[in-house]
């Protein structure tokens, strides 16, 4: 872990892999110190926003260092306590067959692998409520489409690289679309607008036709 200054009220912790980042974020969340206002994970960083009146940046840096040193133990506890959500999916996306072909497997096997894997929300990006979901149960490495679509419908379930994600609203996109869900991913009228937040566990299930 490398800790960098980020203005007068934040620190940026950098990591060498997505797995490290997820593990560290869970550890920081589980042991959040008073004065840590917000933790914002990304693919290889975690931003820690600090209230200087309650915690100095020097103290926050020490907290990050100490907590990360114990990340493995804390992460094991956090894994069992993580919030979870199940997303029903109709696996009939326009890229389902071509994605299976890219992987050298059948459509049924692709659906089985995707729906049986346990996914974790690594971070939110691209659009409000768009969760980047990663899993150690799969070995997907899916290239983006050569040409992005000008409008991907809300609820589309896609694959790109090692991630799966669900488009929270209609928007341009280049992910390989393998299915759709009727679940509302982003609703500003809710106390927590995003249905999926960093650290959550996500499972997909095959929806009835």
């Amino acid at each position: 872990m490398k800790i960098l200054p980020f203005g007068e009220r934040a620190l940026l912790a950098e990591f060498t892999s997505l797995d490290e980042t997820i593990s560290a974020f869970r550890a920081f969340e589980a042991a959040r110190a008073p004065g840590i206002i917000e933790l914002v994970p990304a693919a290889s960083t975690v931003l820690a926003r600090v209230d200087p009146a309650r915690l100095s940046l020097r103290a926050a840096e020490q907290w990050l260092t100490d907590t990360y040193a114990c990340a493995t133990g804390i992460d094991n506890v956090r894994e069992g306590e993580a919030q979870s959500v199940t997303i029903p999916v109709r696996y009939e996306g326009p890229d389902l067959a071509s994605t299976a072909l890219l992987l050298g497997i059948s459509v049924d096997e692709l659906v089985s692998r995707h729906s049986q894997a346990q996914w974790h929300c690594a971070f939110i990006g691209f659009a409000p409520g768009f969760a980047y979901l990663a899993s150690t149960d799969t070995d997907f490495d899916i290239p983006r489409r050569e040409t992005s679509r000008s409008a991907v419908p809300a609820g589309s379930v896609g694959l790109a690289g090692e991630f799966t994600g669900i488009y929270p609203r209609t928007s341009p996109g280049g992910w390989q679309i393998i299915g759709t869900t009727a679940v509302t991913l982003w609703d500003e009228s809710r106390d927590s607008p995003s249905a999926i937040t960093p650290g959550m566990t996500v499972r997909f299930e095959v929806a009835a036709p």
Side-chain angles (χ1 to χ4, degrees), residues 2-209:
K2 182 179 181 181
I3 300 176
L4 302 173
F6 202 87
E8 298 180 351
R9 295 174 177 267
L11 294 169
L12 190 68
E14 287 189 339
F15 305 92
T16 58
S17 70
L18 178 64
D19 288 343
E20 273 190 290
T21 307
I22 293 174
S23 178
F25 172 71
R26 287 187 178 141
F28 297 153
E29 274 283 273
R32 187 185 292 208
I36 300 294
I37 300 172
E38 185 180 18
L39 293 164
V40 183
S44 60
T45 61
V46 176
L47 176 70
R49 292 183 56 230
V50 179
D51 178 359
R54 303 177 65 192
L55 188 70
S56 69
L57 287 180
R58 184 181 294 276
E61 181 175 355
Q62 188 62 54
W63 172 77
L64 288 169
T65 300
D66 293 345
T67 304
Y68 182 65
C70 302
T72 301
I74 294 175
D75 191 49
N76 289 337
V77 174
R78 187 65 176 173
E79 182 78 21
E81 298 175 350
Q83 288 183 297
S84 63
V85 62
T86 299
I87 305 291
V89 176
R90 297 183 67 179
Y91 287 95
E92 54 184 18
D95 302 318
L96 180 63
S98 58
T99 301
L101 188 62
L102 282 171
L103 291 170
I105 59 178
S106 68
V107 167
D108 287 345
E109 185 173 353
L110 172 55
V111 171
S112 177
R113 289 188 187 183
H114 189 265
S115 60
Q116 291 183 17
Q118 180 170 270
W119 299 87
H120 303 282
C121 178
F123 56 95
I124 302 292
F126 172 62
F130 190 102
Y132 284 73
L133 307 175
S135 176
T136 58
D137 298 331
T138 67
D139 56 356
F140 294 156
D141 186 9
I142 310 296
R144 292 170 57 92
R145 287 174 50 85
E146 290 185 5
T147 302
S148 294
R149 293 184 170 94
S150 59
V152 178
S156 295
V157 179
L159 292 167
E162 63 189 294
F163 298 106
T164 192
I166 309 168
Y167 285 73
R169 61 187 181 190
T170 300
S171 61
W175 289 39
Q176 306 282 358
I177 305 303
I178 63 171
T180 58
T181 182
V183 173
T184 300
L185 276 299
W186 179 265
D187 184 349
E188 294 182 3
S189 68
R190 297 188 299 224
D191 290 339
S192 179
S194 185
I196 303 174
T197 55
M200 287 184 68
T201 297
V202 179
R203 285 192 176 276
F204 296 98
E205 65 178 11
V206 179

